[in-house]
Amino acid sequence: MKRLGLFALFLIIESALPHVFAAEKRFSLPTEGSPLIGPKRAAVTIVEFIDYQ
Amino acid sequence: MEVGPTIEGLLKEFEGKVRLVVKFFPYPYRDYARIAAEAALEAWEQGKFREMHEILIRKSPRLDRESLIGYARELSLDVGRFVKAIDSGEHSSIIERDVKLAKELDLYVTPAFYINGLKVLGVRDYDYFREIIVKELKEVQDLDKR
């Protein structure tokens, strides 16, 4: 029961602060040879994996 | 909630500061996912990627072959070259490369984003992305001051 309570608490915190968890690890992704929208160099690069359907 | 307009809005708000790199991860069991990716890549080849990308997001799920050819016409692409490319899977090596990368990253949902390497999965609202971008821009500014 106590474990269940802790798990519920974790879920509440996780949903309230998802950005904290998102910011934990930085991945290095190749960007050459892919379509680009925006300037060739920018302070922020968003890499999106897309399925149009 | 669709994430397409969100990203379009962010690119406009942070014009010159944010760039979007698109990788293709078409689900194998969706009829038009693959051909739509081919269409986007052929539009890229012909210099109109952004326009086609936005149309595909807006018109989804109307992504059958005939509809795609119609969008190519709307954008004044070379339709002959376009048809040849989507029918022959001319850009399949790029799609395969991206799918391989997605699998290496253990991705199984789209959309998936990496904002300066930070992973964001699934559909999120405008402010969620905005907050991360503002934070990233601030970090870059702080680094420049050092």
Side-chain angles (χ1 to χ4, degrees), chain A residues 8-48:
Chain A
L9 184 65
F10 169 77
L11 287 180
I12 292 165
I13 294 169
E14 201 274 342
S15 62
L17 299 168
H19 55 285
V20 172
F21 291 87
E24 277 181 349
K25 183 180 175 186
R26 282 186 198 266
F27 292 81
S28 177
L29 272 70
T31 55
E32 291 297 310
S34 290
L36 168 75
I37 297 176
K40 279 189 179 165
R41 285 180 168 204
V44 177
T45 297
I46 303 174
V47 176
E48 177 177 8

Side-chain angles (χ1 to χ4, degrees), chain B residues 25-141:
Chain B
F25 191 23
Y27 290 1
Y29 304 114
R30 288 184 177 164
D31 291 346
Y32 309 127
R34 182 96 188 187
I35 197 172
E38 288 282 351
L41 283 163
E42 178 55 26
W44 181 42
E45 179 83 21
Q46 296 191 34
K48 291 212 171 156
F49 174 74
R50 183 175 195 156
E51 293 85 343
M52 182 61 89
H53 177 75
E54 289 176 0
I55 286 183
L56 295 176
I57 288 168
R58 215 166 47 240
K59 302 280 191 180
S60 179
R62 278 185 51 211
L63 303 168
D64 57 284
R65 181 178 176 277
E66 292 313 308
S67 297
L68 294 174
I69 294 168
Y71 307 149
R73 230 174 246 125
E74 264 180 52
L75 295 175
S76 305
L77 298 186
D78 179 331
V79 176
R81 271 174 60 200
F82 182 84
V83 170
K84 192 169 163 251
I86 63 171
D87 284 351
S88 66
E90 200 168 303
H91 306 290
S92 62
S93 61
I94 296 176
I95 298 169
E96 293 308 329
R97 180 203 64 189
D98 290 353
V99 169
K100 185 169 172 274
L101 177 63
K103 285 180 179 167
E104 284 166 7
L105 291 163
D106 282 329
L107 290 181
Y108 52 90
V109 293
T110 60
F113 302 89
Y114 292 84
I115 305 174
N116 279 359
L118 303 173
K119 182 160 80 172
V120 176
L121 291 179
V123 176
R124 305 279 182 165
D125 66 19
Y126 192 92
D127 288 340
Y128 182 89
F129 284 103
R130 194 177 186 282
E131 190 183 330
I132 297 174
I133 291 170
V134 168
K135 204 171 152 204
E136 287 302 305
L137 287 172
K138 194 175 174 304
E139 276 185 26
V140 172
Q141 280 168 4

